[in-house]
Amino acid sequence: MSAMTPNPNICRLVYAIAIALALTTPCVAQQPVEQVVQSANRFLSTLSDTQRSKVIYDFNDSTQRARWSNFPTGFVPRGGMSLKQMSATQKAAALDLMRIVLSSRGYEKVSQIRMADDDFKTNGSKRGPRGGGGPPPNGNGGPPQNGQGGPPSNGRPGGGPPRFDSNNMFGSDLYYISFLGKPSTTAPWILQFGGHHLALNITIIGSKGIMTPSLTGAQPAMFKVDGKTIRPLGPESDEAFDLLQSLDAKQRSQAILNYKVADLVLGPGQDGKQISPEGLKVSAMTDKQRAMLLQLIAEWAGIMNDAMASARMAQLKSDLNDTWFAWSGATDSQPGTNITAYYRIQGPHLVIEYAPQSDEPANHVHTIYRDPTNDYGQGDIEK
């Protein structure tokens, strides 16, 4: 054999060693932020230049940042690109991104909110005068009656009457995706996904994922699919009611407010608004009640993927003694249905509100999730 001719036995040996090393050398696991950025870029790569220019905004675009609402997109247009406007490949890539950035439970919740909009599109007109999709008196379903203010009279951050587009009202495909800044593992950027009863504002800063402010809601808040009852915000209702029921007489007297809160106080258009905590301070709760409250908080904080949510939950757990729980409205509930009362959880880095709407209190719900110190990641950016 020529000196220049490779020895086949040696070649086979080298190949076998390479395979063995490949099988035994541990892979370096991707960090969650790397997975999110790669998935975001995969979605963007499916778009044309024109489409991409409509989806990506400047990070400091304050108009787009605040362009979220509980209204259908036919009343309050969103920026970006809707699932309806996408090809099958683009839609699959967009939803894959949401699966990666959210937890499995968070993605299920978002999917159920979208499913509720399909149900409303089909059956909404059977539910009475509001069922046809007419706008509520304001963006959140009614003016607050507690003297603490509320959203603009139409629920749009910029004011003016809501626009109306009958072709862009209800359905699971009328949810929009947009980016403020380009996906990055170092520079901050924001992923927005939302439509009717949904507004996720997810700021990625390095390894952090900050999902405040975000709105989740549903109408109907209880419906059937293939004979199975779906309640997108069922745990938010049931766990809060269980916590209320666990309170003793003294605790209840502090937690239950002596006035009615008709709607979200810190809903759309209320960025930067401050409110004072009320109700029962968590330091006065038992260990079991504190654990119940943490589980309830996780219904919002746990929408993000597990790695990013764990850091957030650790922060909120450390704040627990300075957190408050307040309740306004009915203190009874039928098993398997949603409560008709408002409640609020408020701490140094947290405001959660659950607000049934006046037209169908058990079947039309808005909730808000905020961090008054870090909405849109501003607190982290300014550090």
Side-chain angles (χ1 to χ4, degrees), residues 105-113 216 232-233 235-236 299 303:
R105 176 67 186 111
Y107 185 79
E108 179 184 40
K109 191 185 300 288
V110 167
S111 298
Q112 290 177 347
I113 289 169
T216 53
L233 304 176
E236 290 87 332
E299 295 300 335
I303 291 177

Side-chain angles (χ1 to χ4, degrees), residues 33 37 59 180-191 202-208 381:
V33 66
V37 170
F59 180 76
L180 279 76
K182 294 181 179 179
S184 170
T185 58
T186 54
W189 58 287
I190 297 176
L191 165 63
I202 302 171
T203 306
I204 306 294
I205 305 176
S207 62
K208 292 185 177 180
I381 292 168

Side-chain angles (χ1 to χ4, degrees), residues 329-341:
T331 57
D332 58 351
S333 180
Q334 295 296 319
T337 64
N338 298 313
I339 59 174
T340 60

Side-chain angles (χ1 to χ4, degrees), residues 26 111 173 175 184 192 196 206 217 219 227 323-324 333 339 346 373 383:
S111 298
D173 56 354
Y175 288 79
S184 170
Q192 295 182 313
H196 190 207
Q219 185 185 23
T323 301
W324 299 72
S333 180
I339 59 174
Q346 185 170 355
T373 71
K383 286 181 181 178

